[in-house]
């Protein structure tokens, strides 16, 4: 059988050179080619090797990164990897065109989008190995764990099956030993050597062994099977039975046995030449060597004359299709089987039971038979045509159910629906259109099961209330093992917007615009799968921050509309946490919002600090009288220390914490745990890799030093957000977090846009905020407005009249606290400083997000 190719977008990076196969060393063992004598010695140590390998967790991220890199290399004709593997195939007798097609199929199957979709379908997500809470209301953790040592007994008739089966074993975390036939091409071991070379961590190499030997070599086969926890075996009943006898008690034997597939045509479709041409193409593709190739064509009739007539029409189409495709030479056994089958059918013609229509050169044949019993074809463009009224489908096919795989149905829409159900009940596991029997989609079940689930165990851990704020048990054990970040050029916002101009439609499902706080709103585009992955990661971070979906009643007060994502994102996050949610959104009628909070007993608020501060400030009496708000989760801005004190002392708020650190372009980036202080956040390593680079040059800063935050997003289809300069400044705190999580952290130090140049000095927004808090005890919002002039520029500090002292007192405090400001105003005469005491409604905010603009620079507009 063959493994159907999976579609996807391949990367373009090449892999490091893999070593060639030395003479006589036909086996590959954890990174090295070895000979027979070494295999004998190492097989005795296989149980101990399994113990060592499974002691090291294999993150799917490592597998995905290496596969995607290899996918790019396989999809680059003329590249070193493509050249080596093409030569490997052609040297063994494969036609050059067929070799190129096979490598293209493997490139598609190994691409990251294809494998991520497979992981989502089969194991529920891109990180199935992590112990997370399937229901956030309970401290129960589940994951998919490897079975252990997975032995793959590969088929000899499908070169791509063996390495792809090992990739499935890697995705499920196993130690994999692949046994290929001694007569097979070296493609499997060379391809897997290239895959290991694509992983600079060396983790994959330690999980792969490839042995090439005959199944008759019992001194190797027996210890190999005896050590296995699971065996995936391809072949007929005798081959499967032989391996099952060698499997130890408790070993899981996954059978990928020989299957039979067929087409079923209704009256309207069998008279359509296009349908018959598509069916003929399915017959000729791969010489019917795939389990999904049609061996029989059933007709919804019991009329022998109709069977013979359709056989003639199909033969005519088969002749046309076959002439366009080269036909490989048959060996003696294949030729004998075809001759014998055809001879018997010709003899039965005299009884009126059959009719044979064959090419003069023997390149194809149609065998019409009036008896409906399922009959295997001798393959190589040989196909039966038989009657089978739909009323008899179950009775005729169900006795052969263990051998059935694919059925292609040709008919009207209602026919397809009804026959699909009947055929599935009869034992078929897969129904397709005519002409698409050998096609597949990413994550499609095979022979009625998901391979990744067959190669995995579902495991669970039940914990107590100490783990209420722990989303993933693995984060308490060790820092995640991640692929190294890329080394290419840095990406800025303009580069991201340029990428969107070339984004394929299949990667553009969900559109968001930024709030426009620091400039013109920018567009960001996600696939629905990417969005789901990001929201689930952010939900896990919110759990770690102390949000309790079993008890907290959340009011979503982020801004909504205008393609702005905050409200929608947190609606999705809370939904994935199975939390109680009151989705109010930020509204102008603050009194109505406060009344709703009281009416629906919302004890946890999500929103922008500036909006929440206005809500508490204007609705003081209502909210203080109720006293029910216990937690506040904010995003986009920060509460000052004085504002936190007011919320805690005047309103009884117990927890004030960042809901998430993120951006519209990249999505959620980090979360703030219960033990976090200031602006420290843990990085969402399921999604991103962080670099901290010097502010002046593109080099890493020393440990603990501040620099530019540069993120690489590993969970985005279509867009390659590699080394993206997000515009933030930060540093990595030393040591582990007191919360116990080993995930990396970052302390946010503001944005590049929080610094402006006025005259000969640069001013950071936080300097003004700190001066107001320290020297004036100010706890309101603050905004700096810059305007031009004929002789000098003007800097105006806006303060909220509800909390501000006199303008004269405030101006004196700023001049005292910021020496360079005093020098520019009083000594150099380059700047005019003023303080404006105004109502908070006069402050300028981003139209979409409602976020306070720290600097309002009007100098460029006069």
């Amino acid at each position: 059988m063959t493994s159907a190719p999976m579609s996807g977008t391949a990367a373009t990076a090449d892999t490091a050179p893999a070593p060639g196969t030395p003479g006589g060393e036909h086996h590959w063992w954890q990174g090295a080619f070895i000979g027979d004598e070494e295999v004998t010695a190492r097989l005795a140590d296989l149980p101990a090797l399994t113990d060592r390998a499974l002691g090291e967790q294999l993150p799917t991220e490592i597998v995905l990164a290496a596969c995607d890199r290899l996918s790019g290399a396989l999809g680059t004709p003329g590249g070193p990897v493509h050249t080596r593997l093409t030569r490997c195939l052609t040297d063994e007798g494969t036609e050059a065109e067929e070799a190129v097609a096979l490598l293209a199929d493997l490139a598609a199957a190994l691409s990251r989008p294809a494998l991520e979709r497979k992981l989502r379908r089969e194991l529920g997500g891109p990180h199935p190995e992590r112990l997370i809470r399937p229901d956030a209301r309970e401290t129960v953790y589940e994951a998919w764990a490897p079975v252990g040592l997975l032995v793959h007994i590969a088929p000899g008739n499908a070169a791509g099956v063996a390495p792809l089966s090992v990739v499935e074993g890697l995705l499920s975390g196993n130690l994999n030993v692949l046994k290929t036939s001694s007569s097979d091409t070296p493609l499997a071991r060379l391809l897997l050597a290239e895959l290991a070379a694509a992983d600079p961590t060396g983790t994959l190499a330690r999980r792969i062994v490839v042995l090439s030997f005959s199944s008759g070599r019992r001194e190797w086969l027996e210890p190999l099977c005896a050590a296995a926890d699971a065996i995936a075996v391809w072949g007929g009943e005798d081959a499967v039975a032989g391996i099952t006898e060698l499997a130890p008690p408790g070993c899981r034997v996954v059978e990928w046995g020989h299957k039979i597939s067929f087409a079923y045509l209704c009256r309207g479709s069998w008279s359509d030449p296009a349908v018959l041409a598509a069916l003929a193409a399915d017959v000729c593709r791969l010489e019917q060597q795939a389990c999904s190739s049609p061996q029989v064509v059933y007709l919804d009739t019991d009329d022998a004359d109709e069977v013979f007539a359709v056989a003639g029409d199909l033969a005519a189409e088969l002749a046309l299709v076959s002439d366009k495709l080269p036909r490989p030479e048959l060996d003696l056994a294949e030729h004998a089987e075809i001759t014998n089958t055809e001879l018997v059918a010709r003899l039965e013609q005299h009884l009126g039971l059959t009719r044979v229509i064959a090419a003069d050169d023997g390149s194809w044949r149609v065998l019409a038979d009036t008896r409906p019993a399922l009959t295997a074809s001798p393959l190589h463009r040989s196909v039966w045509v038989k009657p089978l009224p739909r009323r008899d489908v179950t009775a005729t096919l169900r006795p052969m159910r263990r051998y059935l795989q694919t059925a292609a149905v040709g008919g009207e829409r209602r026919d397809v629906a009804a026959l699909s159900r009947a055929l599935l009940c009869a034992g078929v596991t897969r129904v397709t259109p005519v002409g698409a029997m050998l096609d597949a989609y990413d994550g499609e079940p095979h022979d009625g099961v998901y391979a990744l689930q067959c190669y995995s165990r579902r495991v669970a851990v039940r914990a107590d209330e100490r783990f209420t704020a722990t989303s993933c048990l693995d984060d308490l054990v060790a820092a995640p093992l991640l692929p190294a970040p890329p080394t290419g050029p840095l990406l800025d916002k303009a580069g991201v917007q340029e990428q969107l101009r070339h984004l394929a439609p299949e990667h553009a499902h969900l559109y968001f615009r930024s709030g426009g706080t620091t400039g013109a709103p920018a567009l960001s585009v996600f696939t629905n799968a990417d969005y789901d992955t990001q929201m689930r990661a952010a939900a896990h971070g919110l759990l770690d921050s102390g949000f309790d979906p079993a008890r907290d009643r959340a009011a979503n007060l982020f801004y909504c509309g205008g393609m702005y994502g905050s409200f929608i994102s947190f609606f999705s996050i809370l939904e994935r946490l199975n939390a109680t949610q009151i989705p109010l959104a930020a509204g102008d009628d603050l009194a109505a919002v406060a009344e709703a909070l009281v009416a629906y007993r919302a004890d946890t608020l999500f929103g922008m600090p500036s909006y929440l501060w206005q809500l508490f400030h204007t609705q003081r009496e209502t909210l203080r009288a109720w006293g029910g708000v216990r937690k506040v989760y904010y995003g986009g801005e920060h509460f000052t220390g004085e504002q936190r004190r007011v919320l805690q002392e005047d309103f009884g708020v117990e927890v004030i914490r960042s809901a998430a650190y993120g951006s519209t372009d990249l999505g959620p980036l980090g979360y703030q745990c219960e033990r976090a202080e200031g602006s420290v956040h843990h990085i969402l390593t399921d999604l991103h890799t962080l670099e901290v680079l010097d502010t002046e040059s593109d080099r890493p800063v020393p440990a603990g030093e501040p620099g530019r935050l540069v993120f690489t997003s590993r969970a985005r289809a279509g867009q390659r957000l590699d080394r993206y300069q997000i515009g933030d400044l930060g540093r990595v705190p030393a040591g582990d977090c007191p919360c116990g999580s080993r995930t990396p952290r970052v302390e946010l130090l503001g944005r590049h846009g929080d610094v402006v140049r006025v005259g000969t000095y640069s001013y950071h927004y936080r300097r003004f905020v700190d001066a107001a808090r320290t020297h004036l005890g100010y706890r309101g919002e603050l905004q700096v407005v810059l305007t031009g002039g004929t002789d000098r520029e003007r800097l105006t500090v806006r303060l909220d009249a509800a909390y501000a002292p006199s303008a004269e007192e405030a101006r004196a405090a700023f001049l005292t606290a910021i020496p360079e400001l005093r020098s520019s105003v009083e000594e150099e005469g380059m700047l005019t400083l003023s303080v404006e005491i105004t109502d908070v409604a006069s402050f300028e905010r981003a139209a979409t997000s409602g976020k306070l603009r720290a600097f309002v620079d009007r100098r460029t507009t006069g």
Side-chain angles (χ1 to χ4, degrees):
M1 64 177 257
T2 62
S3 178
M6 296 178 284
S7 62
T9 302
T12 57
D14 205 348
T15 64
T21 305
E25 297 181 348
H26 302 303
H27 318 286
W28 195 84
W29 193 293
Q30 295 185 300
F33 289 97
I34 61 174
D36 287 4
E37 292 184 1
E38 190 68 19
V39 171
T40 300
R42 295 191 183 194
L43 279 175
D45 191 47
L46 201 50
L49 171 62
T50 304
D51 294 340
R52 292 192 298 270
L54 295 179
E56 174 190 19
Q57 191 179 50
L58 175 58
T60 54
E61 185 60 45
I62 297 296
V63 184
L64 291 172
C67 287
D68 197 51
R69 194 176 183 201
L70 178 57
S71 171
L74 292 173
T76 307
V81 174
H82 191 277
T83 300
R84 284 195 293 268
L85 295 179
T86 301
R87 186 183 304 118
C88 157
L89 289 167
T90 55
D91 287 350
E92 295 291 327
T94 303
E95 295 290 335
E97 184 177 344
E98 183 181 347
V100 171
L102 174 58
L103 295 184
D105 286 345
L106 289 170
L110 293 172
S111 69
R112 184 174 186 126
L115 294 181
E116 283 188 342
R117 189 178 185 198
K118 182 178 181 69
L119 284 166
R120 287 190 182 96
R121 281 184 175 271
E122 300 192 27
L123 299 182
H127 303 285
E129 78 281 8
R130 289 171 61 79
L131 278 163
I132 59 174
R133 289 153 63 169
D135 185 344
R137 291 174 174 261
E138 304 171 344
T139 53
V140 173
Y141 301 82
E142 293 184 7
W144 288 99
V147 291
L149 173 58
L150 175 58
V151 175
H152 309 258
I153 310 295
N157 65 337
V161 166
L164 291 181
S165 182
V166 171
V167 168
E168 290 174 327
L170 293 170
L171 288 172
S172 45
N174 294 284
L175 170 64
N176 298 269
V177 180
L178 170 64
K179 178 216 167 294
T180 63
S181 170
S182 56
S183 60
D184 285 349
T185 72
L187 175 68
R189 62 177 176 270
L190 294 181
L191 182 70
L192 291 171
E194 298 285 2
L195 177 61
D199 169 30
T201 71
T203 306
L204 295 191
R206 294 190 289 274
R207 296 292 182 116
I208 303 173
V209 174
V210 184
L211 305 177
S212 179
F213 65 94
S214 167
S215 295
R217 195 164 186 171
R218 307 287 287 190
E219 72 275 16
W220 282 7
L221 188 61
E222 290 179 0
L224 177 60
C225 292
D229 296 294
I231 303 174
V233 55
W234 284 260
E237 292 182 339
D238 291 342
V240 172
I243 294 298
T244 302
E245 289 180 1
L246 297 177
C251 177
R252 182 184 299 177
V253 177
V254 182
E255 301 180 24
W256 305 113
H258 293 321
K259 301 292 182 180
I260 296 179
S261 298
F262 58 89
Y264 191 97
L265 304 183
C266 299
R267 184 174 304 277
S269 63
W270 74 53
S271 58
D272 185 343
V275 172
L276 296 182
L279 179 56
D282 274 347
V283 171
C284 292
R285 287 175 65 187
L286 299 181
E287 302 302 315
Q288 295 174 290
Q289 295 298 299
C291 284
S292 54
S293 298
Q295 299 190 41
V296 179
V297 178
Y298 278 120
L299 306 179
D300 184 11
T301 183
D302 53 9
D303 188 328
D305 290 337
E306 286 185 316
V307 171
F308 295 145
V310 173
D313 294 341
L314 177 59
E317 296 294 341
L318 190 56
L320 294 174
V321 173
S322 184
D323 284 347
K324 300 175 183 177
L325 300 173
R327 180 171 178 261
E329 291 295 327
L330 304 182
D331 62 29
L332 187 60
E334 293 167 338
H335 186 74
E337 184 180 1
I338 291 173
T339 301
N340 183 65
T341 302
E342 185 174 335
L343 179 60
V344 172
R346 288 188 183 278
L347 290 174
E348 291 184 325
Q349 284 185 163
H350 301 292
L351 303 177
L353 298 174
T354 60
R355 186 170 297 173
V356 177
I357 309 171
D360 293 337
D361 61 359
S363 58
W364 56 264
R365 63 208 45 80
V366 176
L367 309 168
D369 189 343
T370 58
R371 294 160 295 187
L374 186 66
T375 306
S377 159
L379 310 180
H380 302 286
R381 309 187 188 185
S382 306
V383 63
W384 292 97
V385 178
K386 291 170 171 277
L388 181 58
R390 66 179 68 192
R391 64 178 180 273
D392 298 331
V393 162
T394 301
T396 301
L397 296 178
R398 183 165 165 74
M400 301 292 288
R401 59 189 177 277
R402 61 178 300 190
Y403 302 106
L404 301 180
Q405 194 208 61
T406 302
V409 177
E412 300 297 328
R413 293 175 67 244
R414 181 174 295 182
D415 294 326
V416 172
L419 285 167
S420 293
R421 177 56 62 188
L423 291 167
L424 294 174
C425 291
V428 166
T429 61
R430 187 170 174 265
V431 177
T432 75
V434 177
M437 296 183 68
L438 279 72
D439 298 337
Y441 56 85
D442 301 331
E444 183 176 14
H446 186 71
D447 289 354
V449 297
Y450 281 139
L452 295 184
Q453 291 186 5
C454 293
Y455 298 164
S456 304
R457 298 174 296 128
R458 189 64 174 170
V459 296
V461 175
R462 181 177 297 176
D464 56 36
E465 65 278 359
R466 293 175 298 167
F467 294 83
T468 301
T470 300
S471 66
C472 177
L473 290 184
D474 301 286
D475 291 341
L476 301 178
V477 180
L481 178 63
L482 302 175
T487 57
L490 299 181
L491 181 67
D492 58 15
K493 289 184 179 295
V496 173
Q497 295 304 301
E498 177 63 24
Q499 281 190 9
L500 293 180
R501 295 176 55 191
H502 310 286
L503 194 62
E506 64 266 23
H507 296 139
H509 299 158
L510 190 59
Y511 289 75
F512 287 122
R513 296 191 76 90
S514 66
T517 310
T518 58
L523 181 68
S524 293
V525 181
F526 301 82
T527 68
N528 289 326
D530 290 345
Y531 177 75
D532 178 69
T533 297
Q534 295 191 354
M535 295 303 100
R536 291 185 185 280
H540 295 158
L542 196 56
L543 275 180
D544 290 314
S545 74
F547 179 77
D548 186 353
R551 297 175 177 82
D552 296 342
R553 300 176 61 83
N556 185 347
L557 295 174
F558 279 104
Y559 281 81
C560 185
M563 295 170 61
Y564 186 58
S566 289
F567 176 86
I568 297 171
S569 295
F570 275 93
F571 181 92
S572 300
I573 291 167
L574 293 169
E575 179 184 42
R576 282 156 178 78
L577 290 174
N578 195 22
T580 301
Q581 178 178 184
I582 299 94
L584 291 170
D588 295 334
D589 190 343
L590 296 176
V593 171
E595 292 171 2
L597 297 180
V598 176
Y600 300 117
R601 298 175 288 112
D603 56 15
T604 304
L605 308 187
F606 287 81
M608 291 287 186
S610 55
Y611 180 81
L612 296 177
W613 183 252
Q614 291 179 66
L615 177 65
F616 279 105
H617 176 68
T618 61
Q619 304 303 311
R620 173 185 298 270
E621 298 305 321
T622 300
L623 296 179
R624 286 186 66 181
W626 178 48
V629 178
R630 299 182 299 106
K631 298 179 181 180
V632 168
Y633 287 96
Y634 61 87
E637 305 167 310
H638 294 284
F639 281 109
T640 67
E642 189 63 20
Q643 287 174 328
R644 288 172 176 268
R645 186 190 65 79
V646 170
L647 294 180
Q648 291 169 339
E649 295 182 1
D650 293 0
F651 295 93
V653 178
E654 301 169 5
V655 173
I656 303 173
R657 191 164 293 137
S658 168
Y661 167 44
S663 77
T664 305
D665 298 315
L666 288 166
L669 298 167
Y671 66 91
Q672 195 164 62
C673 71
E674 290 187 302
R675 303 293 296 276
E677 296 181 354
S679 61
V680 175
H681 289 72
H682 290 268
I683 299 299
L684 289 170
T685 53
D686 281 355
L687 306 177
H688 310 288
T689 301
L690 169 66
E691 300 174 80
V692 183
L693 302 183
D694 186 85
T695 55
E696 302 297 331
S697 63
D698 297 341
R699 58 178 178 79
V701 300
E705 292 296 314
R708 291 172 294 155
L709 302 186
V710 176
F711 287 90
T712 292
S713 179
R714 304 187 312 276
R716 290 289 286 274
Q719 279 186 287
R720 302 288 298 190
L721 298 185
D722 292 346
R723 310 197 77 198
Y724 178 31
Q725 302 179 86
I726 193 173
D728 287 346
L729 302 172
R731 69 179 187 90
V732 176
D736 293 330
C737 182
C739 75
S741 174
R742 306 292 296 277
T743 57
R745 297 178 294 160
V746 63
E747 180 182 4
L748 304 179
L749 302 177
R751 291 187 58 80
H752 294 254
D754 288 347
V755 180
V756 295
R757 187 81 174 179
V758 183
T760 57
Y761 298 102
S762 293
Y763 299 95
H764 197 292
Y765 175 72
R766 297 301 304 178
R767 295 286 300 280
F768 293 93
V769 173
D770 292 342
R773 176 178 55 83
T774 303
H775 294 268
L776 301 172
Y778 179 72
R779 59 178 183 262
E781 294 181 303
L782 181 151
Q783 189 170 69
V784 179
V785 181
L786 302 169
T787 52
T790 56
D791 55 346
R792 67 181 66 185
E793 296 175 321
R794 176 179 292 275
L795 186 153
T796 301
V797 181
R798 286 178 174 169
L799 300 178
D800 184 355
Y803 302 101
S806 67
E808 293 75 13
E809 182 182 353
R811 184 178 185 278
F814 288 123
L815 290 172
T816 300
I818 307 175
E820 59 267 38
L821 180 64
R822 182 177 66 251
S823 176
S824 185
V825 171
E826 297 182 349
E827 299 172 11
E828 300 174 3
M830 300 290 293
L831 182 67
T832 297
L833 173 67
S834 62
V835 174
E836 179 183 346
I837 310 299
T838 183
D839 185 86
V840 70
S842 301
F843 284 50
E844 297 186 34
R845 306 178 189 277
T848 305
S849 66
K851 190 185 301 183
L852 178 71
R853 296 177 61 187
F855 285 108
V856 179
D857 195 343
R858 295 177 178 156
R859 292 174 293 178
T860 57
T861 61

